[in-house]
Amino acid sequence: MQGITRIKEKIMEEAEKEKARILSEAEKKAEEIFEKAKRKAEEIEHTLLEKAKKQAEEEKRKIISMAELEEKKRLLQAKQEIIDLVFKEAEDKIRQMEEERYKKLFFEMLIESAEGDEELIIAENDRSRITEDFLKKVNEELVKKGKKGNLKIVSFSKDITGGFILRSKNVEINGSFDYLVSIKREELETEIARILFEE
């Protein structure tokens, strides 16, 4: 009987040892799984953080780029407004020119442009300055230059603010100050921008 008790005890001892070994291995395995999961979680967290940082940087770059673009647009608009003012002032100075000087400019432009048999359309607000007497002098000068002297005022236009439109059967010459300033603007705008803004 004693031998059986000893065998029982021995089996129990072995069972306890095996249980302790299994528990120890299980704990070790659990620890490894936990560490592995922890490392994976840290890797994922790091990857997510890096991704979030990159997205934030990209978003920041986009916002800065949009702001710079908006600023350039506003600056360009302001420059355009200044250039518009320069040309408007030029038109105003022509319109407000002292009468004799204005008539002289008008006279010279007609002598330069006309063949002498065209119809003449002038600005409504030039009605008092460009009279039949004025036109008579223009026609006399045209004859002196070997041209015809039959220019006739046919109408007054509200569409032009100064200058004239010469119309013949085949040709129309726009000598309105609005048009001439717009032509000069195309030629000079870049140069004026360079002078004004040192570009």
Side-chain angles (χ1 to χ4, degrees), residues 87 90-91 94-95 97 102 105-110 112-113 126 159-166 172-189 192:
F87 281 98
E91 283 181 46
I94 292 167
R95 278 193 293 274
M97 199 183 282
Y102 185 87
L105 174 66
F106 205 102
F107 185 90
E108 287 167 0
M109 284 172 63
L110 277 174
E112 179 88 19
S113 309
D126 278 342
D159 295 334
I160 58 175
T161 56
F164 55 83
I165 293 170
L166 270 177
E172 183 174 285
I173 296 170
N174 192 340
S176 68
F177 295 135
D178 319 60
Y179 176 73
L180 295 174
V181 169
S182 75
I183 294 296
K184 275 292 170 199
R185 179 176 183 146
E186 285 174 25
E187 290 174 26
L188 299 173
E189 193 162 353
I192 288 168

Side-chain angles (χ1 to χ4, degrees), residues 56-109:
E57 282 299 317
E58 184 63 21
E59 205 58 38
K60 181 180 165 187
R61 191 190 61 73
K62 277 184 191 171
I63 290 166
I64 289 169
S65 180
M66 290 293 284
E68 284 172 351
L69 190 67
E70 200 55 43
E71 188 57 34
K72 279 181 186 171
K73 275 166 64 182
R74 276 200 299 270
L75 184 62
L76 190 65
Q77 188 179 349
K79 285 180 178 181
Q80 197 59 55
E81 284 170 13
I82 291 167
I83 290 168
D84 289 346
L85 278 173
V86 167
F87 281 98
K88 187 182 181 310
E89 206 171 295
E91 283 181 46
D92 290 346
K93 279 190 176 173
I94 292 167
R95 278 193 293 274
Q96 293 158 12
M97 199 183 282
E98 184 268 318
E99 189 165 322
E100 283 312 305
R101 203 166 153 224
Y102 185 87
K103 283 182 174 180
K104 186 175 185 288
L105 174 66
F106 205 102
F107 185 90
E108 287 167 0
M109 284 172 63

Side-chain angles (χ1 to χ4, degrees), residues 13-61:
E13 255 176 58
E14 287 299 318
E16 279 299 318
K17 279 182 186 174
E18 187 61 21
K19 181 178 146 190
R21 188 186 67 74
I22 290 168
L23 279 172
S24 173
E25 272 184 26
E27 279 177 20
K28 200 173 172 185
K29 199 79 173 162
E31 188 67 34
E32 281 174 16
I33 292 167
F34 176 75
E35 284 302 319
K36 202 182 263 187
K38 190 177 164 190
R39 275 196 304 276
K40 192 72 181 163
E42 283 171 357
E43 279 174 31
I44 290 167
E45 184 184 12
H46 179 72
T47 304
L48 288 173
L49 275 172
E50 284 303 307
K51 197 174 176 185
K53 274 185 195 172
K54 279 181 186 170
Q55 281 179 337
E57 282 299 317
E58 184 63 21
E59 205 58 38
K60 181 180 165 187
R61 191 190 61 73

